[in-house]
Amino acid sequence: GDYEEALKILLSAPKVLLKTCKRMLRSLLEVKKDFTSATRLMSCLPALGLQPNYAMYKGMVTAAAEEGNLERAEAWFVQLKADGLQPDSGVFVSLMKGCYKAKDSES
């Protein structure tokens, strides 16, 4: 009884931790606009045995593109694909908006 329940809780811990990290990341990107801390959080996930999910990568690409930092947006896009995830149209739209913003800031 107790062993099975403890094992069940232990096995669900990574899912709960990833969900918590996803919420933290969203807050860092959308509320605090703190890309540096968001990057640190993403880089810590593998050490915790966690794999960033698609929404997390999409958030990083979008945030970098919104800043007009195409180099950073592209790096997160490349990582998204390297981890076997397929970008959707929303990611490409974010990248295009980032291109437009970067071009606009050059003028």
Side-chain angles (χ1 to χ4, degrees):
D2 290 339
Y3 172 77
E4 287 82 17
E5 188 62 31
L7 185 59
K8 188 174 163 182
I9 291 169
L10 184 61
L11 292 174
S12 71
K15 291 177 187 173
V16 172
L17 183 56
L18 185 62
K19 192 179 222 181
T20 301
C21 290
K22 184 178 172 184
R23 286 182 182 145
M24 287 175 58
L25 184 68
R26 187 179 315 135
S27 175
L28 288 169
L29 293 174
E30 295 175 10
V31 178
K32 297 187 182 244
K33 307 289 185 199
D34 185 351
F35 198 84
T36 301
S37 294
T39 301
R40 260 185 287 181
L41 175 61
M42 287 288 280
S43 68
C44 289
L45 293 178
L48 297 170
L50 301 173
Q51 175 66 37
N53 65 26
Y54 182 79
M56 297 169 91
Y57 279 119
K58 186 176 181 178
M60 295 299 287
V61 171
T62 300
E66 285 176 355
E67 283 185 351
N69 190 331
L70 293 178
E71 188 175 307
R72 216 182 304 189
E74 182 182 5
W76 284 110
F77 177 80
V78 168
Q79 188 61 50
L80 176 149
K81 292 188 68 164
D83 283 350
L85 301 169
Q86 292 299 316
D88 65 7
S89 60
V91 170
F92 290 109
V93 168
S94 292
L95 289 170
M96 289 188 309
K97 285 181 180 178
C99 288
Y100 181 77
K101 185 169 189 163
K103 184 180 176 216
D104 206 32
S105 67
E106 290 175 1
S107 323

